[in-house]
Structure formats: C-alpha cells, structure tokens
Amino acid sequence: SDKLIKAAEQVYRLYKSNIRWKGKLVESRQLVARQLHGVAGVVSQLAGELNISIDFKGELEDAISHELDKEGIRAKEVLVIEKAGGSLEVNISKIPCEGHRECIRKVEKIVSKIVGKKMTSGNSFCRSAGKGLCALKLTEALKFRVSTGVARKAAQSGDICGDSYTFTGLPDGKYMLALSDGMGMGDKAARESTAVISLLENFLGAGFDIDTTIGTINSILMLRSQDEIFATADLCIIDLVKGTADFVKIGAVTTYIKRKDEVEVIKASSLPIGILENMQSERASLKVHDGDMIVMVTDGVLDNTSEGLKVDKWMAGLIDDFDTCNPQEMADNIMESAVGAASHGDDFGDDMTIMVARIWKPVL
C-alpha cells in the first residue's frame, strides 16, 4: 500500500505540473493573439489613413495653388490629405526659394488662410523632392504645449525608488504622462514599474491603442515569472491639437487638476496590473484649458500622511494654495509638504513620486 500511495502521489505531481504548463502555454498563446490583434489594429489604422489620403481635397488644393501663384510662389504640386480624426496635412512641391524662407514668411500664412486652421511646417526644413524641387509638409499647429516637473523620494528603508515615470510626445500631436508604482520598495519594485513604463512607451509610441497596450502589459507581467509581480499604471494622454485629456487608471490613486478657480479630482478603484487575467481599467476624459496643471502622484504621497480619510481634500487644498505656474516648483512644494505631513515624521514607509504638468497656449 505504501508503494501504491507513493506511485499515486508521483503521478499526481506530474499531472499537476502538466496542467500548470498547459495553462502557461494557453496564456502565452493568448498573449500572442493580443499582440497580433494589436498589430492588426495598427495596420487597419494605416490602411484607413491610406484610403483617406486617396480622397484628396481637390477644392482646397486648387485654392492653395491659385493663392500661391498670386504671391509669386511656383508650386508644381499641392496635395491636401485629411487624416483620421479630421486633421489636415498639406504637402507642397515647389521651386526652391534658395534660403529666403518662403515656407515661414508666406506659405504657412497662405495655407492657414485657405484651410481655416493654423498650419505650420514645425521645425522641419524643406527637403529635396528631386528635379530641382523643394518638398514642404505642413500640419495643424498644436494649440497647446506642456511643461513637466517631477519630484521623487525613496522610502527611508532604501536608496532605490520603486516608482517609475515618463513624459513624452506621441504621434499625431499627443503627449503622454505616466506613473507606475511597483509593489513594495527597492530594486524589485523598481524593475516592475520600469517594465510597465517601458512597455507603455514602446506600444503607444508604435501606434497601438490603449486597450491592446494595457492587455499585453498585463499578460506579460502574469507570464513573467511565478512570483507575484504587480504594478500600478496611471496614464494621462493629452491631445495638444484638440485640447483634451484622457486618463486611464489601473490601481492608481487620485489625480488632481488645478484650474483657475478650482481643483478637480479624478479617482479610481481598479486593481493593479498583473493580478487578474481580465483586468479592468477606469477612464475619464475632459477638456483642458490654458494654464491647467495636472498633478499625478503615487500612493506613497497620500498613504504617508497623517490626514487619514481626508487625504484627498487635504491634497486638493494644498495644490490650490500654491500660487505658482512653474510645474517643477509645484512638484517640489507638494513633496516638501507631504514629507512634513508624514505620520511618522521623516521616517516615511513608501516611495513617493509627484509629477506635475502645466498646459499652456503658445503665442501663434
């Protein structure tokens, strides 16, 4: 009977191991399927843009050509493309101006007047189009700019901050702010949060939509090892052309938006990435205005204070009281106040990161 029991236990252990590896295989296939689905979405979006570009805006092209000719600018070809979302792109092939900067002095003003939108060539220079021609590309000018400041402090128990962050431009005039807080503190937490931020940058920068991006990151963290690997994701994507901001929160704490006469609060209650297979994110979308300041924090900033359940009200009041339009100064002031309000004095028990972005309108 003893030999029979040992043999049965061995068979059962093998059975459990096979089941576990089959589950891993299924999860890996699901991850690949999500990635392929995301690639399909990117290709579909590209195909949609190509279809739109074939439907040239003939009336605008003729009007621009006529106006350029009246101003003595010899344009060989004018193409007006309407991209996804209704934004316009104007491509002009013309005789070179030989350094007279016609693109800035004349072409931008003419095209903006005809299309009814502020168009700009940005910081790009004219490039050769062959056959002695100059190629000029104009896109819709950004209505807003973003300045960002960050303040960080590692927990007193270590020198490595487990929080990670990024702020960077995305295609089509968008700007990303992202915070991630790895579970725990120190090097392990830093690796988790860094992985989330890196994947966000790579996927969103490549044109993947937010659902595919978050789903893939969640699957990667679940498959990465047998250890528990969790991290929050606090994401804000600002459309600098339309003047909107989309907030995505996965296990993240409150975000605060300081406006001229109020501080708006955006809260969520979802779980971090890497816990559940079918992970749910919470979202909010709103308009942004000149002078708005977006304040994003990790949970250490709020949890370390002695304010208890009134912490959101305390933080909103703190932000409202600071009279500064400098995002770095705002981040430093909030950090100083958070450290001063720590429930255990200077011995705070979690990493703290504060990221502040100020949205402003440039003089066009």
Side-chain angles (χ1 to χ4, degrees):
S1 60
D2 292 341
K3 292 182 179 180
L4 180 61
I5 291 173
K6 289 181 180 179
E9 289 177 344
Q10 183 177 1
V11 171
Y12 182 67
R13 283 195 298 270
L14 290 173
Y15 173 77
K16 285 178 59 179
S17 177
N18 288 335
I19 289 296
R20 182 169 62 84
W21 284 111
K22 285 181 180 179
K24 291 287 186 181
L25 180 61
V26 170
E27 291 174 357
S28 299
R29 287 173 176 171
Q30 290 174 344
L31 173 60
V32 173
R34 290 193 189 98
Q35 291 174 331
L36 291 176
H37 180 75
V39 172
V42 173
V43 174
S44 297
Q45 181 181 354
L46 177 61
E49 292 179 357
L50 292 174
N51 288 334
I52 292 172
S53 67
I54 295 173
D55 184 20
F56 299 118
K57 301 296 180 180
E59 294 183 1
L60 288 177
E61 292 168 359
D62 293 340
I64 293 171
S65 298
H66 179 69
E67 195 67 25
L68 290 174
D69 187 61
K70 283 173 58 178
E71 294 293 328
I73 300 173
R74 299 172 59 189
K76 294 294 183 180
E77 186 178 29
V78 177
L79 300 177
V80 180
I81 302 169
E82 184 177 7
K83 303 172 74 175
S87 61
L88 293 177
E89 179 182 306
V90 179
N91 294 273
I92 300 173
S93 297
K94 66 181 189 67
I95 302 299
C97 62
E98 299 181 357
H100 294 295
R101 303 289 287 169
E102 281 184 347
C103 54
I104 302 297
R105 294 189 301 107
K106 293 183 179 181
V107 176
E108 285 187 358
K109 295 179 181 178
I110 292 171
V111 174
S112 298
K113 178 182 176 181
I114 298 299
V115 303
K117 299 179 179 181
K118 176 63 179 176
M119 305 294 289
T120 179
S121 57
N123 296 323
S124 61
F125 298 98
C126 301
R127 61 186 187 279
S128 174
K131 299 181 181 180
L133 296 177
C134 173
L136 183 62
K137 176 181 176 181
L138 292 93
T139 56
E140 290 188 34
L142 301 179
K143 295 180 181 178
F144 295 94
R145 296 287 192 273
V146 181
S147 300
T148 309
V150 178
R152 308 173 75 199
K153 275 191 179 296
Q156 293 296 315
S157 57
D159 298 327
I160 299 176
C161 182
D163 303 335
S164 297
Y165 68 91
T166 186
F167 49 92
T168 183
L170 296 176
D172 297 325
K174 292 183 174 60
Y175 191 88
M176 175 176 69
L177 306 167
L179 279 180
S180 180
D181 181 5
M183 294 295 292
M185 296 173 291
D187 185 60
K188 181 175 180 292
R191 288 198 305 268
E192 296 167 8
S193 61
T194 300
V196 171
I197 293 297
S198 177
L199 290 168
L200 281 173
E201 290 176 330
N202 292 332
F203 276 87
L204 294 176
F208 282 76
D209 63 80
I210 188 64
D211 290 327
T212 301
T213 299
I214 295 299
T216 303
I217 294 174
N218 186 62
S219 298
I220 289 173
L221 292 184
M222 292 185 69
L223 291 171
R224 192 167 166 181
S225 74
Q226 297 181 23
D227 298 331
E228 292 184 342
I229 300 179
F230 309 141
T232 66
D234 198 357
L235 184 64
C236 174
I237 298 179
I238 307 169
D239 191 320
L240 300 177
V241 176
K242 296 180 179 179
T244 60
D246 295 319
F247 297 87
V248 181
K249 289 186 167 295
I250 307 171
V253 295
T254 308
T255 292
Y256 307 86
I257 304 174
K258 182 177 182 180
R259 303 190 186 275
K260 291 182 179 180
D261 53 357
E262 66 174 340
V263 175
E264 191 168 342
V265 174
I266 299 176
K267 301 183 69 173
S269 57
S270 58
L271 292 173
I273 293 179
I275 295 180
L276 300 178
E277 182 176 347
N278 296 318
M279 179 250 340
Q280 298 293 326
S281 61
E282 297 196 19
R283 306 187 183 192
S285 181
L286 48 82
K287 280 279 187 182
V288 293
H289 306 92
D290 183 27
D292 285 355
M293 299 185 80
I294 298 174
V295 180
M296 302 169 66
V297 302
T298 55
D299 60 359
V301 177
L302 303 181
D303 293 346
N304 285 326
T305 70
S306 57
E307 300 301 319
L309 297 177
K310 300 179 181 178
V311 66
D312 280 334
K313 183 178 180 180
W314 170 79
M315 179 61 75
L318 190 69
I319 293 170
D320 192 37
D321 288 341
F322 288 134
D323 185 18
T324 178
C325 59
N326 185 319
Q328 186 59 57
E329 186 177 346
M330 173 69 82
D332 292 338
N333 288 341
I334 295 172
M335 179 62 75
E336 183 179 351
S337 297
V339 172
S343 56
H344 300 289
D346 292 336
D347 187 20
F348 47 90
D350 197 2
D351 304 313
M352 297 192 289
T353 300
I354 301 165
M355 183 159 59
V356 181
R358 180 177 182 268
I359 301 167
W360 50 279
K361 274 189 176 183
V363 179
L364 300 177

PDB file of all heavy atoms in Angstrom, residues 266-278:
ATOM      1  N   ILE A 266      -9.836  63.311  -9.856  1.00  0.00           N
ATOM      2  CA  ILE A 266     -10.161  62.126 -10.649  1.00  0.00           C
ATOM      3  C   ILE A 266      -9.720  60.900  -9.865  1.00  0.00           C
ATOM      4  O   ILE A 266      -8.526  60.717  -9.602  1.00  0.00           O
ATOM      5  CB  ILE A 266      -9.463  62.159 -12.025  1.00  0.00           C
ATOM      6  CG1 ILE A 266      -9.935  63.375 -12.821  1.00  0.00           C
ATOM      7  CG2 ILE A 266      -9.741  60.881 -12.804  1.00  0.00           C
ATOM      8  CD1 ILE A 266      -9.239  63.532 -14.146  1.00  0.00           C
ATOM      9  N   LYS A 267     -10.690  60.057  -9.477  1.00  0.00           N
ATOM     10  CA  LYS A 267     -10.405  58.893  -8.634  1.00  0.00           C
ATOM     11  C   LYS A 267     -10.760  57.602  -9.371  1.00  0.00           C
ATOM     12  O   LYS A 267     -11.531  57.605 -10.333  1.00  0.00           O
ATOM     13  CB  LYS A 267     -11.196  58.980  -7.333  1.00  0.00           C
ATOM     14  CG  LYS A 267     -10.902  60.213  -6.501  1.00  0.00           C
ATOM     15  CD  LYS A 267     -11.663  60.207  -5.201  1.00  0.00           C
ATOM     16  CE  LYS A 267     -11.149  59.129  -4.263  1.00  0.00           C
ATOM     17  NZ  LYS A 267     -11.775  59.206  -2.924  1.00  0.00           N
ATOM     18  N   ALA A 268     -10.201  56.489  -8.902  1.00  0.00           N
ATOM     19  CA  ALA A 268     -10.498  55.176  -9.457  1.00  0.00           C
ATOM     20  C   ALA A 268     -10.293  54.130  -8.370  1.00  0.00           C
ATOM     21  O   ALA A 268      -9.665  54.395  -7.342  1.00  0.00           O
ATOM     22  CB  ALA A 268      -9.612  54.875 -10.664  1.00  0.00           C
ATOM     23  N   SER A 269     -10.813  52.917  -8.615  1.00  0.00           N
ATOM     24  CA  SER A 269     -10.700  51.861  -7.599  1.00  0.00           C
ATOM     25  C   SER A 269     -10.340  50.511  -8.219  1.00  0.00           C
ATOM     26  O   SER A 269     -10.678  49.470  -7.674  1.00  0.00           O
ATOM     27  CB  SER A 269     -12.026  51.729  -6.831  1.00  0.00           C
ATOM     28  OG  SER A 269     -13.089  51.463  -7.738  1.00  0.00           O
ATOM     29  N   SER A 270      -9.675  50.509  -9.372  1.00  0.00           N
ATOM     30  CA  SER A 270      -9.320  49.253 -10.037  1.00  0.00           C
ATOM     31  C   SER A 270      -8.066  48.644  -9.409  1.00  0.00           C
ATOM     32  O   SER A 270      -7.305  49.307  -8.708  1.00  0.00           O
ATOM     33  CB  SER A 270      -9.091  49.494 -11.530  1.00  0.00           C
ATOM     34  OG  SER A 270      -8.074  50.460 -11.713  1.00  0.00           O
ATOM     35  N   LEU A 271      -7.842  47.350  -9.696  1.00  0.00           N
ATOM     36  CA  LEU A 271      -6.678  46.632  -9.175  1.00  0.00           C
ATOM     37  C   LEU A 271      -5.458  46.891 -10.058  1.00  0.00           C
ATOM     38  O   LEU A 271      -5.582  47.258 -11.219  1.00  0.00           O
ATOM     39  CB  LEU A 271      -6.975  45.132  -9.129  1.00  0.00           C
ATOM     40  CG  LEU A 271      -8.034  44.682  -8.120  1.00  0.00           C
ATOM     41  CD1 LEU A 271      -8.348  43.196  -8.324  1.00  0.00           C
ATOM     42  CD2 LEU A 271      -7.566  44.930  -6.697  1.00  0.00           C
ATOM     43  N   PRO A 272      -4.241  46.678  -9.510  1.00  0.00           N
ATOM     44  CA  PRO A 272      -3.023  46.868 -10.308  1.00  0.00           C
ATOM     45  C   PRO A 272      -2.920  45.879 -11.472  1.00  0.00           C
ATOM     46  O   PRO A 272      -3.655  44.902 -11.550  1.00  0.00           O
ATOM     47  CB  PRO A 272      -1.902  46.642  -9.278  1.00  0.00           C
ATOM     48  CG  PRO A 272      -2.531  46.870  -7.956  1.00  0.00           C
ATOM     49  CD  PRO A 272      -3.949  46.409  -8.093  1.00  0.00           C
ATOM     50  N   ILE A 273      -1.955  46.141 -12.351  1.00  0.00           N
ATOM     51  CA  ILE A 273      -1.672  45.253 -13.477  1.00  0.00           C
ATOM     52  C   ILE A 273      -0.991  43.987 -12.957  1.00  0.00           C
ATOM     53  O   ILE A 273      -0.177  44.037 -12.044  1.00  0.00           O
ATOM     54  CB  ILE A 273      -0.761  45.955 -14.504  1.00  0.00           C
ATOM     55  CG1 ILE A 273      -1.510  47.107 -15.161  1.00  0.00           C
ATOM     56  CG2 ILE A 273      -0.280  45.002 -15.574  1.00  0.00           C
ATOM     57  CD1 ILE A 273      -0.671  47.873 -16.165  1.00  0.00           C
ATOM     58  N   GLY A 274      -1.321  42.841 -13.565  1.00  0.00           N
ATOM     59  CA  GLY A 274      -0.631  41.596 -13.256  1.00  0.00           C
ATOM     60  C   GLY A 274      -1.307  40.734 -12.217  1.00  0.00           C
ATOM     61  O   GLY A 274      -0.746  39.716 -11.811  1.00  0.00           O
ATOM     62  N   ILE A 275      -2.531  41.117 -11.780  1.00  0.00           N
ATOM     63  CA  ILE A 275      -3.241  40.322 -10.774  1.00  0.00           C
ATOM     64  C   ILE A 275      -4.309  39.453 -11.430  1.00  0.00           C
ATOM     65  O   ILE A 275      -4.321  38.232 -11.261  1.00  0.00           O
ATOM     66  CB  ILE A 275      -3.883  41.232  -9.711  1.00  0.00           C
ATOM     67  CG1 ILE A 275      -2.790  41.964  -8.918  1.00  0.00           C
ATOM     68  CG2 ILE A 275      -4.759  40.428  -8.769  1.00  0.00           C
ATOM     69  CD1 ILE A 275      -3.325  42.882  -7.849  1.00  0.00           C
ATOM     70  N   LEU A 276      -5.201  40.077 -12.196  1.00  0.00           N
ATOM     71  CA  LEU A 276      -6.297  39.368 -12.837  1.00  0.00           C
ATOM     72  C   LEU A 276      -6.052  39.240 -14.328  1.00  0.00           C
ATOM     73  O   LEU A 276      -5.487  40.131 -14.966  1.00  0.00           O
ATOM     74  CB  LEU A 276      -7.626  40.107 -12.607  1.00  0.00           C
ATOM     75  CG  LEU A 276      -8.066  40.292 -11.145  1.00  0.00           C
ATOM     76  CD1 LEU A 276      -9.359  41.084 -11.100  1.00  0.00           C
ATOM     77  CD2 LEU A 276      -8.236  38.940 -10.467  1.00  0.00           C
ATOM     78  N   GLU A 277      -6.492  38.102 -14.884  1.00  0.00           N
ATOM     79  CA  GLU A 277      -6.308  37.888 -16.321  1.00  0.00           C
ATOM     80  C   GLU A 277      -7.133  38.888 -17.123  1.00  0.00           C
ATOM     81  O   GLU A 277      -6.646  39.485 -18.084  1.00  0.00           O
ATOM     82  CB  GLU A 277      -6.712  36.454 -16.688  1.00  0.00           C
ATOM     83  CG  GLU A 277      -6.509  36.128 -18.160  1.00  0.00           C
ATOM     84  CD  GLU A 277      -6.832  34.687 -18.460  1.00  0.00           C
ATOM     85  OE1 GLU A 277      -6.974  33.890 -17.516  1.00  0.00           O
ATOM     86  OE2 GLU A 277      -6.953  34.355 -19.655  1.00  0.00           O
ATOM     87  N   ASN A 278      -8.400  39.060 -16.745  1.00  0.00           N
ATOM     88  CA  ASN A 278      -9.261  40.030 -17.421  1.00  0.00           C
ATOM     89  C   ASN A 278      -9.283  41.320 -16.602  1.00  0.00           C
ATOM     90  O   ASN A 278     -10.182  41.572 -15.826  1.00  0.00           O
ATOM     91  CB  ASN A 278     -10.677  39.470 -17.589  1.00  0.00           C
ATOM     92  CG  ASN A 278     -10.700  38.247 -18.481  1.00  0.00           C
ATOM     93  OD1 ASN A 278     -10.030  38.214 -19.507  1.00  0.00           O
ATOM     94  ND2 ASN A 278     -11.461  37.237 -18.084  1.00  0.00           N
TER      95      ASN A 278
END
